[in-house]
Amino acid sequence: MNNVPLVHFLYLAAVLFGIGIFGVLARKNAISVLMGIELMLNAVNINFLAFARYWNWNSLTGPVFVIFVITIAAAEAAVALAIIISIHRQFRTSNIDDAHYLHG
């Protein structure tokens, strides 16, 4: 069986999280921001699974947390996309900088 060290998983998760942070902070398109958030959540999922494997392979704690994070991410994406579609229908843009017009 191929044993990959924990640090490799942590490096991968750190790179994914960094790309997600860049996507959230540098992009103006709301869809790109949502993709950055999803990348950050996937990086967290990699950490959960890596630590669950590192500490105790038979433990279900890591995979259970991953299922919860995936469920929350799906709900977050559905609500956020509904809001973005509503904003796009009203204002014909998905630019986050134009959202300050929504307050009235």
Side-chain angles (χ1 to χ4, degrees):
M1 184 171 170
N2 188 5
N3 283 337
V4 179
L6 176 66
V7 69
H8 293 299
F9 291 112
L10 298 181
Y11 286 148
L12 174 65
V15 168
L16 281 178
F17 198 84
I19 293 170
I21 287 284
F22 176 76
V24 169
L25 296 178
R27 303 290 180 186
K28 293 184 178 185
N29 189 351
I31 302 296
S32 298
V33 171
L34 284 177
M35 289 182 356
I37 292 171
E38 295 297 326
L39 273 176
M40 289 189 293
L41 289 172
N42 285 328
V44 170
N45 284 339
I46 290 173
N47 280 335
F48 278 141
L49 291 177
F51 280 118
R53 180 177 178 218
Y54 179 73
W55 281 324
N56 185 3
W57 182 252
N58 295 324
S59 174
L60 289 178
T61 306
V64 168
F65 274 114
V66 168
I67 295 297
F68 281 129
V69 170
I70 290 172
T71 304
I72 291 169
E76 170 259 333
V79 170
L81 285 174
I83 291 170
I84 290 169
I85 289 171
S86 175
I87 290 171
H88 184 71
R89 284 182 182 168
Q90 183 73 26
F91 297 104
R92 298 288 182 220
T93 185
S94 61
N95 192 348
I96 295 175
D97 291 338
D98 296 336
H100 69 277
Y101 294 119
L102 297 176
H103 70 290

